[in-house]
Amino acid sequence: MARTHRDRAFASLHHVLDLDWMLEAYRTTRKDGAAGIDGVTAADYAEALEANLLDLLDRIKSGRYQAPPVRRSYIPKADGSQRPLGIPTFEDKVAQRAIVMLLEAIYEQDFLPCSYGFRPGRSAHDAVHNLRTSLMTQGMRWVLDIDISRYFDTIPHDQLRSFLDRRVTDGVVRRMIDKWLKAGVLESGSLTYATEGTPQGGVISPLLANIYLHYVLDEWVAMVVEPRLKGRHTLVRYADDFVMAFEDHLDAKRVFHVLGQRLNRYGLTLHPEKSRFIDFRFRRPGGLCHPATSGTTFDFLGFTHVWGRSLKGKNVVRQVTAKGRFARALSAVTEWCQRNRHQTVLHQHAHLSAMLRGHYGYYGITGNGRRVRWYLHQVERIWKKWLSRRGRHGNFRWDRLRELLSRHPLPPARIMRQYAVPSEALP
């Protein structure tokens, strides 16, 4: 019904919430996260699962549910600063998942193909592959690399509610969303309440953020911007991280000029240093652009996009691991090896193997083989360094490491996703 009635607001949704629905919400909620302010883990909650879910369901429908404050912690960012991370209680995660399942059934009919982040059946790899194909086949050489300052923390609640009014007016659902928007944040014993932004760490936060940018950006580009453009264009968005590419230089300039005004109108701000207009031409009037010196590269979802040559001599867009992401990945390996150098070699081997497989799973795409192989080499070097510091007279030479790796090899560098050069790629 949501697909056929795009202009309809649904006033009765909560009747589908039952025990089976809550069990599915529980099943799809991650069980390995840290405990919230109540200290209850997923294992604790599962001891009386059916009774807990029935009680939660009754409190949601009756309006007695109280959204608990989230516990705030911090994780380091690539630039040395710290990113705040909210940790809800496990029960709150289940409640949010139940409401997300309701909303997804509606908004998945509304979201446009340009949106990839936190959507069922879509991934960051789909986004970067779509962008690569568009750049190579449609002659789009003018790129807007956009960053919204503190997006998840600055979404105005009143405007978000007005957007929700267009599709969801069910009292139970809207009351739950309001409770999460108003839930406090507990940090160092102090409780604060936000007047803007989406719930920190909550599974509903990415969906609400997607809904907001769907109206502010995606629909605006499709309905207002696109009819005014001279040439072709593409928009690829993953949550608040998005890139726009244009065939016509003036089109790109005009959109870059009005984009900040559009976002400001809805309480958002372009990051002045991270939002850039990029000349992504492979050839300029002066001749061939050398990828290392042209200054025409840009980063998107952890990959640096740069022009190169295929083995058959075709111009191709290469997507290689961004320097910041590469350094952060190696820093994580160094930190783990330092903290766990007292563990057995086999324990260390198992953990490093898992880290390598995870790295290959994301960064192992066509054109990135050199960076992936270099990552493996650096992991071996870091491991050797900390194996050498296991004792007062430690001296773990390369020949000993090679002997160890011959018996217990680390996972070899692999390209997990093969992208062919599109047959319609432009020269």
Side-chain angles (χ1 to χ4, degrees), residues 268-314:
L268 306 176
T269 306
L270 286 182
H271 195 292
E273 298 176 358
K274 297 181 180 179
S275 299
R276 301 185 299 148
F277 179 96
I278 298 165
D279 179 352
F280 199 63
R281 290 177 293 178
F282 183 78
R283 293 184 181 275
R284 289 180 177 175
L288 184 68
C289 290
H290 191 281
T293 59
S294 64
T296 62
T297 66
F298 66 93
D299 293 349
F300 182 58
L301 298 181
F303 294 95
T304 297
H305 293 65
V306 58
W307 281 104
R309 294 277 192 182
S310 70
L311 294 176
K312 295 183 179 180
K314 289 188 176 182

mmCIF file of all heavy atoms in Angstrom, residues 268-314:
data_model
loop_
_atom_site.group_PDB
_atom_site.id
_atom_site.type_symbol
_atom_site.label_atom_id
_atom_site.label_comp_id
_atom_site.label_asym_id
_atom_site.label_seq_id
_atom_site.Cartn_x
_atom_site.Cartn_y
_atom_site.Cartn_z
ATOM 1 N N LEU A 268 21.197 22.787 8.323
ATOM 2 C CA LEU A 268 22.439 22.059 8.088
ATOM 3 C C LEU A 268 23.487 22.983 7.495
ATOM 4 O O LEU A 268 23.158 24.007 6.894
ATOM 5 C CB LEU A 268 22.199 20.871 7.148
ATOM 6 C CG LEU A 268 21.088 19.906 7.562
ATOM 7 C CD1 LEU A 268 20.887 18.838 6.505
ATOM 8 C CD2 LEU A 268 21.395 19.263 8.913
ATOM 9 N N THR A 269 24.755 22.601 7.645
ATOM 10 C CA THR A 269 25.854 23.459 7.196
ATOM 11 C C THR A 269 26.898 22.633 6.463
ATOM 12 O O THR A 269 27.304 21.565 6.938
ATOM 13 C CB THR A 269 26.532 24.153 8.400
ATOM 14 O OG1 THR A 269 25.540 24.840 9.162
ATOM 15 C CG2 THR A 269 27.592 25.141 7.924
ATOM 16 N N LEU A 270 27.336 23.154 5.307
ATOM 17 C CA LEU A 270 28.440 22.518 4.597
ATOM 18 C C LEU A 270 29.739 22.728 5.379
ATOM 19 O O LEU A 270 29.991 23.828 5.876
ATOM 20 C CB LEU A 270 28.609 23.112 3.196
ATOM 21 C CG LEU A 270 27.590 22.722 2.123
ATOM 22 C CD1 LEU A 270 27.965 23.385 0.807
ATOM 23 C CD2 LEU A 270 27.546 21.220 1.948
ATOM 24 N N HIS A 271 30.548 21.683 5.469
ATOM 25 C CA HIS A 271 31.857 21.836 6.099
ATOM 26 C C HIS A 271 32.732 22.676 5.174
ATOM 27 O O HIS A 271 32.955 22.303 4.010
ATOM 28 C CB HIS A 271 32.502 20.472 6.335
ATOM 29 C CG HIS A 271 33.643 20.508 7.277
ATOM 30 N ND1 HIS A 271 34.837 21.134 6.980
ATOM 31 C CD2 HIS A 271 33.797 19.992 8.532
ATOM 32 C CE1 HIS A 271 35.665 21.007 7.996
ATOM 33 N NE2 HIS A 271 35.059 20.322 8.950
ATOM 34 N N PRO A 272 33.237 23.822 5.634
ATOM 35 C CA PRO A 272 33.954 24.742 4.733
ATOM 36 C C PRO A 272 35.256 24.181 4.179
ATOM 37 O O PRO A 272 35.698 24.600 3.102
ATOM 38 C CB PRO A 272 34.214 25.968 5.619
ATOM 39 C CG PRO A 272 34.177 25.445 7.028
ATOM 40 C CD PRO A 272 33.189 24.327 7.015
ATOM 41 N N GLU A 273 35.888 23.252 4.878
ATOM 42 C CA GLU A 273 37.175 22.720 4.426
ATOM 43 C C GLU A 273 37.037 21.383 3.699
ATOM 44 O O GLU A 273 37.839 21.085 2.803
ATOM 45 C CB GLU A 273 38.123 22.555 5.619
ATOM 46 C CG GLU A 273 38.456 23.869 6.324
ATOM 47 C CD GLU A 273 39.310 23.656 7.548
ATOM 48 O OE1 GLU A 273 39.607 22.478 7.862
ATOM 49 O OE2 GLU A 273 39.676 24.648 8.206
ATOM 50 N N LYS A 274 36.046 20.601 4.052
ATOM 51 C CA LYS A 274 35.914 19.268 3.474
ATOM 52 C C LYS A 274 34.980 19.225 2.265
ATOM 53 O O LYS A 274 34.904 18.187 1.598
ATOM 54 C CB LYS A 274 35.424 18.285 4.535
ATOM 55 C CG LYS A 274 36.392 18.118 5.696
ATOM 56 C CD LYS A 274 35.870 17.114 6.707
ATOM 57 C CE LYS A 274 36.821 16.937 7.878
ATOM 58 N NZ LYS A 274 36.313 15.971 8.878
ATOM 59 N N SER A 275 34.266 20.288 1.987
ATOM 60 C CA SER A 275 33.391 20.338 0.811
ATOM 61 C C SER A 275 34.149 21.013 -0.320
ATOM 62 O O SER A 275 34.578 22.157 -0.186
ATOM 63 C CB SER A 275 32.102 21.106 1.132
ATOM 64 O OG SER A 275 31.388 20.472 2.172
ATOM 65 N N ARG A 276 34.309 20.299 -1.452
ATOM 66 C CA ARG A 276 35.187 20.792 -2.515
ATOM 67 C C ARG A 276 34.553 20.643 -3.893
ATOM 68 O O ARG A 276 33.768 19.732 -4.139
ATOM 69 C CB ARG A 276 36.508 20.015 -2.496
ATOM 70 C CG ARG A 276 37.288 20.086 -1.200
ATOM 71 C CD ARG A 276 38.621 19.369 -1.354
ATOM 72 N NE ARG A 276 38.438 17.961 -1.679
ATOM 73 C CZ ARG A 276 39.260 17.236 -2.437
ATOM 74 N NH1 ARG A 276 40.319 17.819 -2.975
ATOM 75 N NH2 ARG A 276 39.033 15.959 -2.663
ATOM 76 N N PHE A 277 34.937 21.562 -4.780
ATOM 77 C CA PHE A 277 34.635 21.463 -6.213
ATOM 78 C C PHE A 277 35.880 20.899 -6.882
ATOM 79 O O PHE A 277 36.968 21.459 -6.757
ATOM 80 C CB PHE A 277 34.286 22.842 -6.771
ATOM 81 C CG PHE A 277 33.984 22.835 -8.242
ATOM 82 C CD1 PHE A 277 32.685 22.751 -8.692
ATOM 83 C CD2 PHE A 277 35.005 22.905 -9.182
ATOM 84 C CE1 PHE A 277 32.396 22.751 -10.041
ATOM 85 C CE2 PHE A 277 34.735 22.895 -10.534
ATOM 86 C CZ PHE A 277 33.419 22.808 -10.967
ATOM 87 N N ILE A 278 35.738 19.790 -7.615
ATOM 88 C CA ILE A 278 36.900 19.063 -8.122
ATOM 89 C C ILE A 278 36.843 18.943 -9.643
ATOM 90 O O ILE A 278 35.821 18.547 -10.212
ATOM 91 C CB ILE A 278 36.973 17.653 -7.494
ATOM 92 C CG1 ILE A 278 37.141 17.772 -5.983
ATOM 93 C CG2 ILE A 278 38.104 16.833 -8.096
ATOM 94 C CD1 ILE A 278 36.868 16.504 -5.246
ATOM 95 N N ASP A 279 37.948 19.303 -10.274
ATOM 96 C CA ASP A 279 38.136 19.072 -11.702
ATOM 97 C C ASP A 279 38.640 17.638 -11.873
ATOM 98 O O ASP A 279 39.805 17.348 -11.642
ATOM 99 C CB ASP A 279 39.156 20.081 -12.247
ATOM 100 C CG ASP A 279 39.431 19.890 -13.735
ATOM 101 O OD1 ASP A 279 38.959 18.893 -14.312
ATOM 102 O OD2 ASP A 279 40.123 20.747 -14.311
ATOM 103 N N PHE A 280 37.742 16.734 -12.274
ATOM 104 C CA PHE A 280 38.095 15.321 -12.363
ATOM 105 C C PHE A 280 38.318 14.871 -13.807
ATOM 106 O O PHE A 280 38.140 13.712 -14.141
ATOM 107 C CB PHE A 280 36.998 14.471 -11.711
ATOM 108 C CG PHE A 280 37.441 13.076 -11.349
ATOM 109 C CD1 PHE A 280 38.450 12.867 -10.424
ATOM 110 C CD2 PHE A 280 36.846 11.969 -11.935
ATOM 111 C CE1 PHE A 280 38.863 11.585 -10.089
ATOM 112 C CE2 PHE A 280 37.247 10.679 -11.611
ATOM 113 C CZ PHE A 280 38.267 10.497 -10.687
ATOM 114 N N ARG A 281 38.737 15.797 -14.661
ATOM 115 C CA ARG A 281 39.028 15.425 -16.048
ATOM 116 C C ARG A 281 40.306 14.598 -16.110
ATOM 117 O O ARG A 281 41.282 14.884 -15.418
ATOM 118 C CB ARG A 281 39.189 16.670 -16.910
ATOM 119 C CG ARG A 281 37.893 17.439 -17.148
ATOM 120 C CD ARG A 281 38.161 18.687 -17.938
ATOM 121 N NE ARG A 281 38.959 19.648 -17.179
ATOM 122 C CZ ARG A 281 39.375 20.822 -17.679
ATOM 123 N NH1 ARG A 281 39.047 21.159 -18.915
ATOM 124 N NH2 ARG A 281 40.096 21.632 -16.929
ATOM 125 N N PHE A 282 40.286 13.609 -17.001
ATOM 126 C CA PHE A 282 41.505 12.837 -17.206
ATOM 127 C C PHE A 282 42.480 13.616 -18.071
ATOM 128 O O PHE A 282 43.682 13.583 -17.864
ATOM 129 C CB PHE A 282 41.189 11.487 -17.857
ATOM 130 C CG PHE A 282 42.397 10.609 -18.018
ATOM 131 C CD1 PHE A 282 42.906 9.912 -16.931
ATOM 132 C CD2 PHE A 282 43.042 10.502 -19.228
ATOM 133 C CE1 PHE A 282 44.026 9.115 -17.057
ATOM 134 C CE2 PHE A 282 44.167 9.703 -19.374
ATOM 135 C CZ PHE A 282 44.657 9.004 -18.294
ATOM 136 N N ARG A 283 41.952 14.323 -19.053
ATOM 137 C CA ARG A 283 42.784 15.158 -19.913
ATOM 138 C C ARG A 283 42.368 16.616 -19.759
ATOM 139 O O ARG A 283 41.188 16.938 -19.755
ATOM 140 C CB ARG A 283 42.656 14.751 -21.379
ATOM 141 C CG ARG A 283 43.231 13.376 -21.689
ATOM 142 C CD ARG A 283 43.153 13.082 -23.190
ATOM 143 N NE ARG A 283 43.681 11.763 -23.502
ATOM 144 C CZ ARG A 283 44.961 11.517 -23.702
ATOM 145 N NH1 ARG A 283 45.845 12.493 -23.633
ATOM 146 N NH2 ARG A 283 45.371 10.293 -23.985
ATOM 147 N N ARG A 284 43.346 17.468 -19.654
ATOM 148 C CA ARG A 284 43.115 18.909 -19.613
ATOM 149 C C ARG A 284 43.650 19.530 -20.888
ATOM 150 O O ARG A 284 44.372 18.868 -21.646
ATOM 151 C CB ARG A 284 43.821 19.522 -18.395
ATOM 152 C CG ARG A 284 43.171 19.151 -17.068
ATOM 153 C CD ARG A 284 43.915 19.796 -15.917
ATOM 154 N NE ARG A 284 43.278 19.515 -14.645
ATOM 155 C CZ ARG A 284 43.782 19.881 -13.484
ATOM 156 N NH1 ARG A 284 44.934 20.524 -13.440
ATOM 157 N NH2 ARG A 284 43.155 19.607 -12.363
ATOM 158 N N PRO A 285 43.336 20.805 -21.142
ATOM 159 C CA PRO A 285 43.862 21.453 -22.353
ATOM 160 C C PRO A 285 45.370 21.360 -22.481
ATOM 161 O O PRO A 285 45.907 21.313 -23.581
ATOM 162 C CB PRO A 285 43.405 22.907 -22.201
ATOM 163 C CG PRO A 285 42.163 22.812 -21.374
ATOM 164 C CD PRO A 285 42.387 21.677 -20.428
ATOM 165 N N GLY A 286 46.075 21.289 -21.357
ATOM 166 C CA GLY A 286 47.530 21.208 -21.411
ATOM 167 C C GLY A 286 48.065 19.810 -21.637
ATOM 168 O O GLY A 286 49.266 19.612 -21.754
ATOM 169 N N GLY A 287 47.184 18.796 -21.677
ATOM 170 C CA GLY A 287 47.639 17.438 -21.912
ATOM 171 C C GLY A 287 47.171 16.496 -20.823
ATOM 172 O O GLY A 287 46.249 16.788 -20.063
ATOM 173 N N LEU A 288 47.821 15.343 -20.750
ATOM 174 C CA LEU A 288 47.425 14.288 -19.822
ATOM 175 C C LEU A 288 47.659 14.695 -18.376
ATOM 176 O O LEU A 288 48.679 15.266 -18.039
ATOM 177 C CB LEU A 288 48.236 13.012 -20.122
ATOM 178 C CG LEU A 288 47.896 11.768 -19.298
ATOM 179 C CD1 LEU A 288 46.507 11.279 -19.678
ATOM 180 C CD2 LEU A 288 48.928 10.677 -19.551
ATOM 181 N N CYS A 289 46.669 14.414 -17.538
ATOM 182 C CA CYS A 289 46.798 14.675 -16.104
ATOM 183 C C CYS A 289 47.472 13.484 -15.446
ATOM 184 O O CYS A 289 46.989 12.362 -15.560
ATOM 185 C CB CYS A 289 45.423 14.886 -15.463
ATOM 186 S SG CYS A 289 44.626 16.414 -15.940
ATOM 187 N N HIS A 290 48.574 13.716 -14.797
ATOM 188 C CA HIS A 290 49.215 12.634 -14.052
ATOM 189 C C HIS A 290 48.501 12.492 -12.717
ATOM 190 O O HIS A 290 48.363 13.466 -11.975
ATOM 191 C CB HIS A 290 50.695 12.932 -13.827
ATOM 192 C CG HIS A 290 51.453 11.765 -13.302
ATOM 193 N ND1 HIS A 290 51.407 11.403 -11.971
ATOM 194 C CD2 HIS A 290 52.240 10.849 -13.919
ATOM 195 C CE1 HIS A 290 52.160 10.337 -11.777
ATOM 196 N NE2 HIS A 290 52.673 9.969 -12.944
ATOM 197 N N PRO A 291 48.020 11.306 -12.364
ATOM 198 C CA PRO A 291 47.226 11.136 -11.141
ATOM 199 C C PRO A 291 47.907 11.638 -9.888
ATOM 200 O O PRO A 291 47.256 12.110 -8.966
ATOM 201 C CB PRO A 291 47.004 9.615 -11.081
ATOM 202 C CG PRO A 291 47.154 9.151 -12.490
ATOM 203 C CD PRO A 291 48.177 10.057 -13.105
ATOM 204 N N ALA A 292 49.237 11.554 -9.831
ATOM 205 C CA ALA A 292 49.939 11.920 -8.592
ATOM 206 C C ALA A 292 50.106 13.423 -8.444
ATOM 207 O O ALA A 292 50.383 13.910 -7.362
ATOM 208 C CB ALA A 292 51.304 11.238 -8.564
ATOM 209 N N THR A 293 49.948 14.176 -9.537
ATOM 210 C CA THR A 293 50.244 15.600 -9.460
ATOM 211 C C THR A 293 49.082 16.493 -9.873
ATOM 212 O O THR A 293 49.153 17.703 -9.731
ATOM 213 C CB THR A 293 51.443 15.936 -10.366
ATOM 214 O OG1 THR A 293 51.128 15.575 -11.715
ATOM 215 C CG2 THR A 293 52.675 15.162 -9.927
ATOM 216 N N SER A 294 48.014 15.918 -10.390
ATOM 217 C CA SER A 294 46.952 16.767 -10.937
ATOM 218 C C SER A 294 46.100 17.415 -9.867
ATOM 219 O O SER A 294 45.451 18.421 -10.116
ATOM 220 C CB SER A 294 46.049 15.926 -11.849
ATOM 221 O OG SER A 294 45.388 14.923 -11.096
ATOM 222 N N GLY A 295 46.037 16.831 -8.667
ATOM 223 C CA GLY A 295 45.197 17.392 -7.617
ATOM 224 C C GLY A 295 43.724 17.208 -7.881
ATOM 225 O O GLY A 295 42.905 17.978 -7.397
ATOM 226 N N THR A 296 43.378 16.202 -8.670
ATOM 227 C CA THR A 296 41.979 16.006 -9.030
ATOM 228 C C THR A 296 41.367 14.786 -8.360
ATOM 229 O O THR A 296 40.329 14.305 -8.792
ATOM 230 C CB THR A 296 41.848 15.835 -10.558
ATOM 231 O OG1 THR A 296 42.569 14.670 -10.957
ATOM 232 C CG2 THR A 296 42.375 17.052 -11.283
ATOM 233 N N THR A 297 41.988 14.254 -7.349
ATOM 234 C CA THR A 297 41.448 13.080 -6.674
ATOM 235 C C THR A 297 40.462 13.501 -5.587
ATOM 236 O O THR A 297 40.473 14.634 -5.114
ATOM 237 C CB THR A 297 42.572 12.248 -6.046
ATOM 238 O OG1 THR A 297 43.175 12.996 -4.989
ATOM 239 C CG2 THR A 297 43.624 11.891 -7.089
ATOM 240 N N PHE A 298 39.612 12.557 -5.183
ATOM 241 C CA PHE A 298 38.708 12.796 -4.058
ATOM 242 C C PHE A 298 38.454 11.470 -3.355
ATOM 243 O O PHE A 298 38.596 10.395 -3.933
ATOM 244 C CB PHE A 298 37.397 13.432 -4.528
ATOM 245 C CG PHE A 298 36.550 12.547 -5.410
ATOM 246 C CD1 PHE A 298 35.549 11.745 -4.880
ATOM 247 C CD2 PHE A 298 36.761 12.519 -6.783
ATOM 248 C CE1 PHE A 298 34.776 10.930 -5.691
ATOM 249 C CE2 PHE A 298 35.986 11.720 -7.602
ATOM 250 C CZ PHE A 298 34.989 10.922 -7.059
ATOM 251 N N ASP A 299 38.084 11.563 -2.082
ATOM 252 C CA ASP A 299 37.812 10.376 -1.262
ATOM 253 C C ASP A 299 36.310 10.215 -1.073
ATOM 254 O O ASP A 299 35.578 11.197 -0.868
ATOM 255 C CB ASP A 299 38.476 10.487 0.111
ATOM 256 C CG ASP A 299 39.995 10.448 0.035
ATOM 257 O OD1 ASP A 299 40.524 10.128 -1.054
ATOM 258 O OD2 ASP A 299 40.643 10.735 1.061
ATOM 259 N N PHE A 300 35.868 8.957 -1.110
ATOM 260 C CA PHE A 300 34.464 8.648 -0.858
ATOM 261 C C PHE A 300 34.372 7.248 -0.278
ATOM 262 O O PHE A 300 34.859 6.290 -0.870
ATOM 263 C CB PHE A 300 33.656 8.749 -2.157
ATOM 264 C CG PHE A 300 32.179 8.500 -1.991
ATOM 265 C CD1 PHE A 300 31.422 9.274 -1.122
ATOM 266 C CD2 PHE A 300 31.538 7.498 -2.697
ATOM 267 C CE1 PHE A 300 30.061 9.051 -0.958
ATOM 268 C CE2 PHE A 300 30.181 7.263 -2.556
ATOM 269 C CZ PHE A 300 29.435 8.045 -1.682
ATOM 270 N N LEU A 301 33.813 7.154 0.926
ATOM 271 C CA LEU A 301 33.603 5.885 1.619
ATOM 272 C C LEU A 301 34.895 5.093 1.791
ATOM 273 O O LEU A 301 34.928 3.868 1.643
ATOM 274 C CB LEU A 301 32.558 5.044 0.875
ATOM 275 C CG LEU A 301 31.166 5.671 0.776
ATOM 276 C CD1 LEU A 301 30.207 4.742 0.036
ATOM 277 C CD2 LEU A 301 30.612 6.003 2.158
ATOM 278 N N GLY A 302 35.981 5.812 2.084
ATOM 279 C CA GLY A 302 37.234 5.151 2.377
ATOM 280 C C GLY A 302 38.101 4.863 1.178
ATOM 281 O O GLY A 302 39.196 4.307 1.327
ATOM 282 N N PHE A 303 37.663 5.238 -0.025
ATOM 283 C CA PHE A 303 38.433 5.013 -1.244
ATOM 284 C C PHE A 303 38.800 6.347 -1.895
ATOM 285 O O PHE A 303 37.952 7.239 -2.015
ATOM 286 C CB PHE A 303 37.641 4.178 -2.250
ATOM 287 C CG PHE A 303 37.377 2.763 -1.812
ATOM 288 C CD1 PHE A 303 36.187 2.422 -1.187
ATOM 289 C CD2 PHE A 303 38.328 1.778 -2.011
ATOM 290 C CE1 PHE A 303 35.936 1.126 -0.780
ATOM 291 C CE2 PHE A 303 38.093 0.470 -1.604
ATOM 292 C CZ PHE A 303 36.899 0.148 -0.985
ATOM 293 N N THR A 304 40.051 6.466 -2.315
ATOM 294 C CA THR A 304 40.485 7.600 -3.113
ATOM 295 C C THR A 304 40.218 7.288 -4.577
ATOM 296 O O THR A 304 40.625 6.234 -5.077
ATOM 297 C CB THR A 304 41.980 7.886 -2.915
ATOM 298 O OG1 THR A 304 42.203 8.245 -1.543
ATOM 299 C CG2 THR A 304 42.447 9.025 -3.807
ATOM 300 N N HIS A 305 39.517 8.192 -5.261
ATOM 301 C CA HIS A 305 39.166 8.012 -6.667
ATOM 302 C C HIS A 305 40.168 8.776 -7.521
ATOM 303 O O HIS A 305 40.358 9.986 -7.337
ATOM 304 C CB HIS A 305 37.751 8.503 -6.928
ATOM 305 C CG HIS A 305 36.699 7.676 -6.248
ATOM 306 N ND1 HIS A 305 36.595 7.594 -4.878
ATOM 307 C CD2 HIS A 305 35.710 6.894 -6.752
ATOM 308 C CE1 HIS A 305 35.586 6.785 -4.567
ATOM 309 N NE2 HIS A 305 35.031 6.357 -5.686
ATOM 310 N N VAL A 306 40.782 8.068 -8.453
ATOM 311 C CA VAL A 306 41.829 8.657 -9.272
ATOM 312 C C VAL A 306 41.806 7.986 -10.641
ATOM 313 O O VAL A 306 41.491 6.794 -10.768
ATOM 314 C CB VAL A 306 43.216 8.487 -8.592
ATOM 315 C CG1 VAL A 306 43.523 7.027 -8.343
ATOM 316 C CG2 VAL A 306 44.310 9.142 -9.397
ATOM 317 N N TRP A 307 42.151 8.745 -11.678
ATOM 318 C CA TRP A 307 42.226 8.164 -13.021
ATOM 319 C C TRP A 307 43.499 7.341 -13.175
ATOM 320 O O TRP A 307 44.545 7.672 -12.637
ATOM 321 C CB TRP A 307 42.208 9.259 -14.086
ATOM 322 C CG TRP A 307 40.842 9.807 -14.370
ATOM 323 C CD1 TRP A 307 40.333 11.003 -13.950
ATOM 324 C CD2 TRP A 307 39.806 9.169 -15.111
ATOM 325 N NE1 TRP A 307 39.038 11.158 -14.382
ATOM 326 C CE2 TRP A 307 38.694 10.036 -15.106
ATOM 327 C CE3 TRP A 307 39.703 7.942 -15.783
ATOM 328 C CZ2 TRP A 307 37.498 9.727 -15.752
ATOM 329 C CZ3 TRP A 307 38.508 7.635 -16.422
ATOM 330 C CH2 TRP A 307 37.423 8.517 -16.401
ATOM 331 N N GLY A 308 43.397 6.254 -13.927
ATOM 332 C CA GLY A 308 44.545 5.423 -14.231
ATOM 333 C C GLY A 308 44.333 4.699 -15.543
ATOM 334 O O GLY A 308 43.432 5.029 -16.320
ATOM 335 N N ARG A 309 45.171 3.712 -15.796
ATOM 336 C CA ARG A 309 45.095 2.916 -17.021
ATOM 337 C C ARG A 309 44.835 1.452 -16.672
ATOM 338 O O ARG A 309 45.434 0.918 -15.733
ATOM 339 C CB ARG A 309 46.408 3.003 -17.802
ATOM 340 C CG ARG A 309 46.723 4.384 -18.354
ATOM 341 C CD ARG A 309 46.028 4.638 -19.655
ATOM 342 N NE ARG A 309 46.546 5.829 -20.321
ATOM 343 C CZ ARG A 309 46.077 6.286 -21.464
ATOM 344 N NH1 ARG A 309 45.078 5.659 -22.082
ATOM 345 N NH2 ARG A 309 46.592 7.372 -22.004
ATOM 346 N N SER A 310 43.966 0.812 -17.445
ATOM 347 C CA SER A 310 43.757 -0.616 -17.280
ATOM 348 C C SER A 310 44.877 -1.375 -17.979
ATOM 349 O O SER A 310 45.712 -0.783 -18.682
ATOM 350 C CB SER A 310 42.406 -1.028 -17.872
ATOM 351 O OG SER A 310 42.444 -0.939 -19.292
ATOM 352 N N LEU A 311 44.902 -2.695 -17.790
ATOM 353 C CA LEU A 311 45.921 -3.507 -18.437
ATOM 354 C C LEU A 311 45.803 -3.456 -19.955
ATOM 355 O O LEU A 311 46.789 -3.694 -20.673
ATOM 356 C CB LEU A 311 45.808 -4.964 -17.948
ATOM 357 C CG LEU A 311 46.126 -5.196 -16.467
ATOM 358 C CD1 LEU A 311 45.893 -6.653 -16.092
ATOM 359 C CD2 LEU A 311 47.547 -4.774 -16.141
ATOM 360 N N LYS A 312 44.608 -3.131 -20.447
ATOM 361 C CA LYS A 312 44.402 -3.034 -21.886
ATOM 362 C C LYS A 312 44.578 -1.608 -22.397
ATOM 363 O O LYS A 312 44.293 -1.323 -23.560
ATOM 364 C CB LYS A 312 43.013 -3.540 -22.241
ATOM 365 C CG LYS A 312 42.811 -5.025 -21.950
ATOM 366 C CD LYS A 312 41.440 -5.497 -22.385
ATOM 367 C CE LYS A 312 41.262 -6.993 -22.117
ATOM 368 N NZ LYS A 312 39.917 -7.471 -22.538
ATOM 369 N N GLY A 313 45.054 -0.720 -21.524
ATOM 370 C CA GLY A 313 45.335 0.643 -21.941
ATOM 371 C C GLY A 313 44.164 1.592 -21.923
ATOM 372 O O GLY A 313 44.266 2.716 -22.412
ATOM 373 N N LYS A 314 43.034 1.185 -21.332
ATOM 374 C CA LYS A 314 41.873 2.066 -21.263
ATOM 375 C C LYS A 314 41.964 2.981 -20.045
ATOM 376 O O LYS A 314 42.521 2.615 -19.009
ATOM 377 C CB LYS A 314 40.589 1.247 -21.195
ATOM 378 C CG LYS A 314 40.223 0.535 -22.488
ATOM 379 C CD LYS A 314 38.834 -0.079 -22.373
ATOM 380 C CE LYS A 314 38.399 -0.710 -23.687
ATOM 381 N NZ LYS A 314 37.023 -1.269 -23.594
#
